[in-house]
Amino acid sequence: MVIFSVYVVNKAGGLIYQYDNYVPRAEVEKTFSYPLDVVLKHHDEKVVVSFGQRDGIRGIKFIVLADPRQSGIDALLRKIYEIYSDFALKNPFYSLEMPISSSCPLMCELFDQNLKGALEVAEKAGNFGAGS
């Protein structure tokens, strides 16, 4: 299963964190001229957008873009909230509206490492268990 991206959005709607977990490589660079001939087709495989908001932080939204077959997204959102609480909210130099990367380089590095670990566990297991 694949988890594509994780976003954290503040209550004003500003993006305070973005992590692209899976970025497919383009074999050949394509260029387009204006106007584009765009044809939209319906496919069975869609990207699922899961929104999560925890009670402790009103207005902060955690968004995960994942394969529709990926299970355990709610548990993963809880884990992301836990990581955010541990490495952002407990940092005395962080305020809620600040982007995570600008508040403290060490905190951002720890946040990234723990988030990557949680995403790896979720993808390998196909779900994210309570014991993780």
Side-chain angles (χ1 to χ4, degrees):
M1 303 301 154
V2 178
I3 297 171
F4 298 105
S5 302
V6 175
Y7 303 95
V8 181
V9 179
N10 65 17
K11 63 182 171 186
L15 183 65
I16 60 173
Y17 183 79
Q18 172 186 354
Y19 177 71
D20 294 321
N21 187 45
Y22 174 78
V23 181
R25 294 185 189 184
E27 294 291 325
V28 178
E29 183 177 335
K30 296 179 183 179
T31 57
F32 299 99
S33 60
Y34 186 79
L36 297 176
D37 292 328
V38 178
V39 177
L40 300 176
K41 294 182 180 179
H42 177 70
H43 293 282
D44 288 338
E45 298 208 14
K46 299 175 187 170
V47 174
V48 174
V49 179
S50 298
F51 291 92
Q53 180 175 345
R54 304 294 294 165
D55 293 336
I57 311 169
R58 297 280 182 207
I60 299 290
K61 293 188 177 39
F62 301 91
I63 302 167
V64 172
L65 298 178
D67 186 301
R69 296 168 294 193
Q70 178 73 39
S71 61
I73 295 295
D74 289 335
L76 176 62
L77 284 166
R78 283 192 295 277
K79 183 65 176 178
I80 293 170
Y81 170 76
E82 179 183 314
I83 293 167
Y84 179 75
S85 297
D86 288 344
F87 296 102
L89 296 181
K90 292 179 183 176
N91 181 350
F93 302 108
Y94 180 75
S95 69
L96 282 177
E97 299 300 317
M98 287 175 52
I100 292 173
S101 60
S102 67
S103 60
C104 176
L106 178 61
M107 185 272 301
C108 182
E109 186 177 322
L110 290 171
F111 184 83
D112 284 342
Q113 289 173 358
N114 283 278
L115 180 65
K116 288 175 189 177
L119 295 178
E120 286 175 11
V121 169
E123 286 182 338
K124 286 179 183 175
N127 61 12
F128 201 84
S132 300

